[in-house]
Amino acid sequence: ANRILELVSSGGTWLVVLLFLLATVWAPVVEEAIFRGAFYRHLRGRVGMIAAGLGSATVFAALHGYMVEQLFLVGLLGFTFALMREWRGSLIGSMTAHCVHNATLLTLLIAILSLADG
């Protein structure tokens, strides 16, 4: 079971619009501020870049609550966002990448579900 899939497939238009805004605006800003802005920065002050990236990515993945098979991919995504944060010295890049990632996946999901219904 996937909560996002369930919401998109059972929700009306307004629910899908709100979910899209949540996934593409709120989640990237808030999650990046917490995981790469605060947590990664805290870890980075104590350990090296790789350890800080892996630590923040592990917590990021675990708190998403997906199945075990999906945790590795979400963790890899979190690690990539941490590398972007390190490379750019800013959260703008990781927030933008997070937004584009979520928007792409949600758009594909909506398109696939609408084709299946249609």
Side-chain angles (χ1 to χ4, degrees):
N2 184 302
R3 296 180 311 248
I4 303 298
L5 178 61
E6 291 170 9
L7 285 171
V8 171
S9 61
S10 67
T13 302
W14 282 110
L15 180 61
V16 172
V17 168
L18 290 174
L19 179 64
F20 196 86
L21 288 172
L22 175 74
T24 61
V25 178
W26 186 86
V29 170
V30 172
E31 290 179 359
E32 292 307 310
I34 292 169
F35 292 105
R36 262 58 71 184
F39 191 50
Y40 173 78
R41 186 170 155 213
H42 172 77
L43 292 175
R44 185 68 174 96
R46 287 156 177 73
V47 297
M49 178 186 71
I50 300 297
L54 289 172
S56 66
T58 300
V59 175
F60 175 74
L63 291 178
H64 272 78
Y66 291 119
M67 296 183 312
V68 174
E69 298 83 13
Q70 297 166 314
L71 291 179
F72 174 76
L73 296 175
V74 176
L76 183 60
L77 190 64
F79 184 72
T80 302
F81 293 156
L83 292 179
M84 294 175 78
R85 160 74 168 92
E86 181 76 26
W87 174 52
R88 302 300 299 165
S90 167
L91 293 175
I92 301 299
S94 61
M95 283 179 180
T96 303
H98 198 150
C99 171
V100 169
H101 172 267
N102 288 0
T104 301
L105 289 182
L106 199 49
T107 300
L108 287 171
L109 177 63
I110 292 167
I112 289 167
L113 289 175
S114 67
L115 288 173
D117 288 343

